[in-house]
Structures are given as C-alpha cells and as structure tokens.
Amino acid sequence: MEVESFINSLHGDLAHRKKELARIKLDIQDSHEEDILEWMARAAAVLTYAHWEGFIKGTSIKYVKFINGQNVPTLTLKSCFQAAVVVSHFKQAEGTSKTGHLAKLLVAMDERRSDSFKVNPHKIIDTEHNLSSTVFLALLESIGLEPLPSFATKVGFIDATLILARNQVAH
C-alpha cells in the first residue's frame, strides 16, 4: 500500500466516525423529550467510547499492516517491531537456563530479525477492551509512536469522562 492510500484510509475512517458522532449530538440537542434525552445520552457515551477504541485499534492495525507491506528487514525497524517478531522466542526461553536451548533460540531470533518484517497485527495490538490513557500510551509504545504534546491535556477526559461514562452505562 502506498503512503497516500494509507493516509486516505485513515482520514475516511475518521470522517465516518466524526459524522456519526456529530449526528447523535445534533439529535440530542434537537430532542426535547426527557425520557428520550436520557437514553440518547447513555447511547452517546457508549458510542463515543466505541469510536475512540475502534479508531485507535483499527488505525494501529492498519499501520502495522502498512509496515508489513513495505517489505523491509526487521533489523531496520525500531526495537518494538523487532520484539514483535521474536516475542514467541522469549516465551520459549522463559523458565529455562539450559544454554544449549537458549543458544538455539538466539540463532532463531537473529534469523527472524534478518527477514522482512511480517507479524499478525491482531496479536500485537491490544486495547484490553478498556482503552484508558495508560493502555493507549502502551499501545503507542508497542508500535513505535509517541503521543503528541497535547495528549497530556486529554488524559482527564479519556479516563475520568469517556471511560467512566462508558463503564457506568455498559457495566
């Protein structure tokens, strides 16, 4: 996939989500029936969270797929991507101190890191079904990105408003 196609895909997804959220906001503003307002507000809380998690998860998966499609050696990528390629080897090494076994795993890891980058994005993108600011930061780190400086001002909204409102309705 070309960079422009990747970016257009993200813009299209975001535009769809913004349109849907704007529509529910207008419907709430236009409604004057108290019982309708109550359920619409609850629906809006759940829908807003769903779009937050859905957009972050979906774009992260698209990003990893994009990198998969670039056919670049894993060694040329950030360490988070190299770790994603060899994570199964770490799991195999856990709990053993046999140097012969560990040496074979190291050789296998080096071979995998020399290959073109290919991972299953669904295995490395995890929103934990509760995309708090902390989980979001961990997800960014797992794909080699850093939050924008303005993210610090959004933490309270994400955790104390968005997540809390969604959890109160959905749980």
Side-chain angles (χ1 to χ4, degrees):
M1 175 186 284
E2 296 295 321
V3 173
E4 189 172 334
S5 297
F6 170 68
I7 292 171
N8 288 340
S9 169
L10 300 185
H11 283 298
D13 185 30
L14 185 58
H16 158 74
R17 293 172 187 281
K18 283 182 174 182
K19 182 179 177 183
E20 192 168 285
L21 291 170
R23 176 59 198 247
I24 199 166
K25 180 181 178 185
L26 288 173
D27 287 348
I28 289 170
Q29 289 172 341
D30 290 345
S31 180
H32 301 293
E33 297 178 44
E34 201 61 37
D35 59 328
I36 291 175
L37 280 173
E38 186 179 321
W39 74 257
M40 286 181 77
R42 289 194 330 269
V46 174
L47 184 64
T48 303
Y49 173 82
H51 278 311
W52 154 247
E53 181 176 341
F55 182 74
I56 298 303
K57 184 173 185 173
T59 55
S60 298
I61 287 170
K62 285 179 185 180
Y63 178 60
V64 174
K65 284 181 178 180
F66 175 75
I67 295 170
N68 273 342
Q70 299 307 299
N71 228 11
V72 296
T74 301
L75 280 170
T76 63
L77 297 173
K78 290 183 176 183
S79 59
C80 58
F81 292 111
Q82 293 181 44
V85 167
V86 298
V87 69
S88 64
H89 296 292
F90 287 119
K91 291 177 182 175
Q92 290 175 23
E94 187 177 7
T96 185
S97 60
K98 295 181 180 179
T99 57
H101 179 67
L102 294 173
K104 288 178 186 175
L105 287 174
L106 284 173
V107 169
M109 289 169 69
D110 283 342
E111 288 172 357
R112 288 286 320 272
R113 291 175 57 225
S114 298
D115 294 341
S116 289
F117 179 78
K118 294 282 186 257
V119 296
N120 180 344
H122 298 279
K123 289 190 176 185
I124 63 170
I125 303 301
D126 185 10
T127 59
E128 300 179 23
H129 305 294
N130 200 29
L131 190 55
S132 66
S133 61
T134 304
V135 174
F136 175 68
L137 289 172
L139 189 144
L140 283 181
E141 183 179 28
S142 75
I143 58 174
L145 300 176
E146 294 182 16
L148 296 174
S150 61
F151 176 73
T153 64
K154 310 291 190 259
V155 170
F157 173 77
I158 292 168
D159 295 338
T161 303
L162 184 61
I163 302 288
L164 182 63
R166 176 263 193 171
N167 288 346
Q168 287 175 339
V169 173
H171 297 290

